[in-house]
């Protein structure tokens, strides 16, 4: 059995909009009220997947969740036909396409790390934000289908509230190669700062126990409160790991040297590629999402960093990237991609994907991409996804019907009626 890393990207749902729902997420707050372009957003996502399919030979996807979630509105006693001023955010929550950011779908521990040698997945409860807290039961349903082979996978329930869990966005893995045993690093925030710390250490510890991780190969690290305050609402906004490389901003962790030492104690081969604040400020790193990159191992050897286009447009970030490439380090290529629609809500290339180490033959093939399937998905999106949504449109019955029909058309095209 050959274990490889498979990126499962979230297909951007037809209700994608900018409602400013995420306190502490600067892009979300600053684009509140802007018109959104769901069709363009979803096509940008497919183009990113196509690129990685060509580079890596394998690519997966997860489907948008059913929206609007009228059950949530009923539970909150919000009548979509008569929404009071104070209820607009709740209405928008029920319409949110936030499940596109599958780095928050679950925490995944590959089989070689787990006591029972199965790959364990725990859906993230995302309890800090109401628009995200509604995701996990539907996400779990989908994961249980995609990874339904119980001889290879184990899909858990989410960690119970009040402990906040944001999934893979606050989790990193160091290993010699993806199929080898790894060291898992959980990054949590301390509560009490200006913005919510979304990942709680209690949740991280629970996930580590649920997955049967070896305590000697599990590390817990505190996020830098200053990074959360600057807008790094998830650790993957300021750091990303792949195989033996940790690519990080100097100010990502509360105790920088202590963090590197703790990881190195469990994983001596660690290579830290650190960007000093003097080269790229925390603010610029968060604005451009340099670290919300996909750091991938290329089949021909070496690593590539898939960054948002915004990085190429930033003089300090691009200067740093060019200098880094000239040093002959582990990262051999920097590849910009256009995911601007997602970026405007605080979701970069890495937010849009969930990494699962598995033998592709053990995954339900309906969740794996091919060029033909990409073309099929693109054609449904081009035909059915709304071109534009203004936040004032949310709640409109005609829009609701078209959003629901668009998703159902995609499920039909992909032969996934059980998600309907
Ligand atoms: O949870 N934005 C998402 C972005 C998630 C990014 N994911 C990772 N870093 N892995 C969030 O804050 C904005 C929705 C709105 O405002 O309409 C939003 O939910």
């Amino acid at each position: 059995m050959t274990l490889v890393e498979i990126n499962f990207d979230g297909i951007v749902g037809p209700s994608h909009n900018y409602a400013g729902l995420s306190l502490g997420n600067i892009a979300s707050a600053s684009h509140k009220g802007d018109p959104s372009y769901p069709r363009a957003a979803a096509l940008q996502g497919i183009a990113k997947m196509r690129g990685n399919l060509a580079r890596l030979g394998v690519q997966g996807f997860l489907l948008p969740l059913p929206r609007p979630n009228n059950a949530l509105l009923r539970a909150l006693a919000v009548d979509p036909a008569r929404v009071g001023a104070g209820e607009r955010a709740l209405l928008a929550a029920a319409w949110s396409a936030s499940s596109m950011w599958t780095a928050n779908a679950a925490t995944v521990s590959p089989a070689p790390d787990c006591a029972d040698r199965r790959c364990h997945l725990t859906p993230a409860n995302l309890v800090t934000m109401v628009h995200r807290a509604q995701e996990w039961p539907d996400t779990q349903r989908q994961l249980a289908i995609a990874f339904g082979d119980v001889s290879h996978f184990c899909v858990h329930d989410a960690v119970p509230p009040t402990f906040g869990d944001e999934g893979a966005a606050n989790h990193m893995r160091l290993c010699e190669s993806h199929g080898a045993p790894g060291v898992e690093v959980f990054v949590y925030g301390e509560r009490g700062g200006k913005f919510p710390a979304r990942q709680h250490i209690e949740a991280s510890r629970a996930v580590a126990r649920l997955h049967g991780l070896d305590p000697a190969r599990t590390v817990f690290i505190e996020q830098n409160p200053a990074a959360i305050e600057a807008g790094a609402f998830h650790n993957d906004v300021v750091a990303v790991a792949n195989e033996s490389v940790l690519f990080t901003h100097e100010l990502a962790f509360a105790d920088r040297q202590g963090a590197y030492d703790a990881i190195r104690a469990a994983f001596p081969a660690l290579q830290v590629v650190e960007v000093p604040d003097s080269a790229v400020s925390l603010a610029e790193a968060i604005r451009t999402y340099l670290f919300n990159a996909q750091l991938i191992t290329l089949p021909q050897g070496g690593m590539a960093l898939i960054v948002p286009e915004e990085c190429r447009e930033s003089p300090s970030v691009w200067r740093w990237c060019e200098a880094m490439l000239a040093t002959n380090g582990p990262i051999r290529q920097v590849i910009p991609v256009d995911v601007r629609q997602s970026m405007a809500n605080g979701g970069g290339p890495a937010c849009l994907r969930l990494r699962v180490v598995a033998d592709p033959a053990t995954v339900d093939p309906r969740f794996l991409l091919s060029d033909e399937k990409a073309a099929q998905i693109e054609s449904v999106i081009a035909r059915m996804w709304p071109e534009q949504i203004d936040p004032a449109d949310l709640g409109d019955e005609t829009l609701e019907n078209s959003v629901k029909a668009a998703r159902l058309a995609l499920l039909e095209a992909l032969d996934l009626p059980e998600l309907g």
Side-chain angles (χ1 to χ4, degrees):
M1 183 158 87
T2 316
L3 297 179
V4 296
E5 181 177 275
I6 313 171
N7 290 288
F8 287 81
D9 281 39
I11 296 176
V12 178
S15 66
H16 159 63
N17 69 88
Y18 298 120
L21 297 176
S22 279
L23 177 66
N25 170 342
I26 291 167
S28 155
S30 61
H31 290 277
K32 178 178 179 172
D34 285 0
S36 61
Y37 298 91
R39 194 182 301 162
L43 293 174
Q44 287 170 359
I46 306 296
K48 172 167 98 73
M49 282 197 251
R50 274 185 181 275
N52 282 336
L53 177 63
R55 269 170 221 121
L56 300 169
V58 62
Q59 173 69 48
F61 55 85
L62 294 173
L63 281 295
L65 303 185
R67 295 289 177 268
N69 180 357
N70 288 322
L72 176 69
L73 294 177
R74 278 194 299 278
L76 293 167
V78 173
D79 177 355
R82 253 174 283 121
V83 176
E87 295 158 7
R88 290 299 308 173
L90 297 177
L91 179 74
W95 280 72
S96 179
S98 54
S99 67
M100 72 176 82
W101 299 298
T102 52
N104 305 116
T107 305
V108 184
S109 294
D113 301 355
C114 301
D116 67 1
R117 297 293 178 259
R118 292 187 297 163
C119 172
H120 283 245
L121 301 96
T122 295
N125 64 25
L126 299 167
V127 290
T128 304
M129 305 283 165
V130 65
H131 69 290
R132 306 228 54 187
Q134 65 186 320
E135 291 176 29
W136 85 260
D138 286 319
T139 299
Q140 184 191 43
R141 219 148 58 88
Q142 201 166 160
L143 296 176
I145 298 171
F147 308 106
D149 181 343
V150 295
S151 59
H152 296 289
F153 300 101
C154 176
V155 178
H156 295 270
D157 283 341
V159 170
T162 59
F163 303 127
D165 180 21
E166 300 279 322
N170 278 65
H171 175 255
M172 304 186 289
R173 179 171 187 259
L174 283 308
C175 55
E176 299 287 350
S177 66
H178 294 131
V183 165
E184 301 204 9
V185 180
F186 292 81
V187 189
Y188 62 91
E190 282 295 351
R191 284 92 128 182
K194 175 177 165 200
F195 293 137
R198 295 211 218 172
Q199 181 73 40
H200 299 167
I201 188 165
E202 296 88 343
S204 299
R205 288 196 186 280
V207 171
R209 285 192 296 271
L210 281 167
H211 293 191
L213 301 182
D214 176 354
R217 301 178 65 80
T218 310
V219 182
F220 299 89
I221 288 177
E222 188 193 338
Q223 232 185 316
N224 186 352
I228 299 178
E229 188 151 324
F233 54 97
H234 289 138
N235 175 65
D236 71 0
V237 173
V238 283
V240 61
N242 180 54
E243 293 188 330
S244 59
V245 175
L246 170 63
F247 175 51
T248 181
H249 193 272
E250 180 186 10
L251 300 177
F253 308 114
D255 172 5
R256 167 179 166 273
Q257 195 55 50
Y260 303 159
D261 290 347
I263 300 173
R264 202 165 268 127
F267 186 77
L270 176 70
Q271 286 178 271
V272 179
V273 178
E274 185 190 76
V275 180
D277 196 54
S278 57
V280 177
S281 69
L282 196 51
E284 190 64 353
I286 290 169
R287 193 187 67 76
T288 59
Y289 265 36
L290 169 62
F291 298 94
N292 198 263
Q294 288 184 259
L295 184 56
I296 57 171
T297 304
L298 299 165
Q300 65 271 28
M303 293 187 193
L305 195 64
I306 318 280
V307 298
E309 274 289 356
E310 284 79 349
C311 290
R312 180 155 50 187
E313 292 157 8
S314 160
S316 67
V317 169
W318 204 243
R319 202 178 312 119
W320 186 87
C321 288
E322 289 186 324
M324 181 270 296
L325 288 174
T327 63
N328 223 15
I331 303 172
R332 304 305 319 136
Q333 286 183 49
V334 178
I335 304 169
V337 291
D338 178 2
V339 288
R340 289 183 201 277
Q341 281 291 307
S342 168
M343 282 286 284
N345 247 340
C351 297
L352 287 161
R353 61 93 176 96
L354 180 69
R355 293 184 282 187
V356 179
V357 171
D359 178 346
T362 62
V363 176
D364 186 320
R366 292 175 296 175
F367 294 88
L368 295 177
L369 197 71
S370 61
D371 284 326
E372 299 69 47
K373 218 184 272 186
Q376 214 181 347
I377 298 171
E378 282 163 344
S379 122
V380 175
I381 292 168
R383 217 163 12 93
M384 308 285 290
W385 259 232
E387 190 190 346
Q388 180 177 337
I389 295 182
D390 293 302
D393 301 338
L394 302 181
D396 177 79
E397 210 179 306
T398 311
L399 181 63
E400 172 169 349
N401 290 336
S402 69
V403 159
K404 286 178 172 164
R407 179 175 174 275
L408 290 178
L410 185 62
L411 297 187
E412 195 183 321
L414 296 172
D415 190 26
L416 279 161
E418 58 268 62
L419 291 176

